[in-house]
Amino acid sequence: MLSIFASLFGCSKKPDYPFDKEKACYFSRQGVIAGGGFHLTFNPEGVVEYYSYVKPVPEYECGMRDKGADIYFVGLKEGRVEVTAIYEYPTCEDEEYTFTLNVDKDLIVTRID
């Protein structure tokens, strides 16, 4: 019954995450303009993996490719990793943002700046 009301009023069901959300580290990505891009690099690789849930824009509204994304970093093994977020733009230089994540022995991921 609840799903009927949700579909009538435009509400969507919360996603079932394939990971323990309590142990993951959340990162909110800004929107990407049309012609631009976004990607992540990890140093070293293999310490975390990430899941990205993009916020879509209908019909590339206002020249945007998307309205951003909710990104969750999930620990694979204990250690530290440097994450570089790279925003690509079609008419100007790329923008980089770097931060460090720590994964403890229980695979809880925390951000260290």
Side-chain angles (χ1 to χ4, degrees):
M1 184 72 165
L2 184 58
S3 63
I4 295 172
F5 286 117
S7 65
L8 288 174
F9 295 106
C11 300
S12 60
K13 181 181 167 188
K14 290 184 180 179
D16 291 326
Y17 298 105
F19 55 88
D20 185 349
K21 192 174 169 187
E22 298 298 316
K23 291 183 176 185
C25 181
Y26 174 76
F27 176 75
S28 179
R29 175 178 64 75
Q30 69 188 22
V32 175
I33 64 172
F38 174 83
H39 68 275
L40 297 166
T41 62
F42 301 93
N43 184 25
E45 293 186 7
V47 178
V48 295
E49 67 180 341
Y50 73 95
Y51 293 85
S52 180
Y53 298 92
V54 176
K55 300 170 188 171
V57 175
E59 301 293 323
Y60 294 98
E61 174 181 279
C62 300
M64 296 298 290
R65 192 171 101 186
D66 64 42
K67 288 187 176 185
D70 295 324
I71 299 174
Y72 294 91
F73 297 99
V74 178
L76 298 175
K77 65 180 183 182
E78 187 176 2
R80 285 193 178 185
V81 61
E82 185 176 272
V83 180
T84 303
I86 303 166
Y87 295 90
E88 301 163 346
Y89 301 102
T91 59
C92 57
E93 291 187 31
D94 294 352
E95 190 177 301
E96 291 187 10
Y97 176 69
T98 302
F99 55 93
T100 303
L101 298 175
N102 184 62
V103 181
D104 71 9
K105 64 181 178 178
D106 295 324
L107 300 182
I108 296 172
V109 182
T110 54
R111 184 172 167 174
I112 303 170
D113 285 327

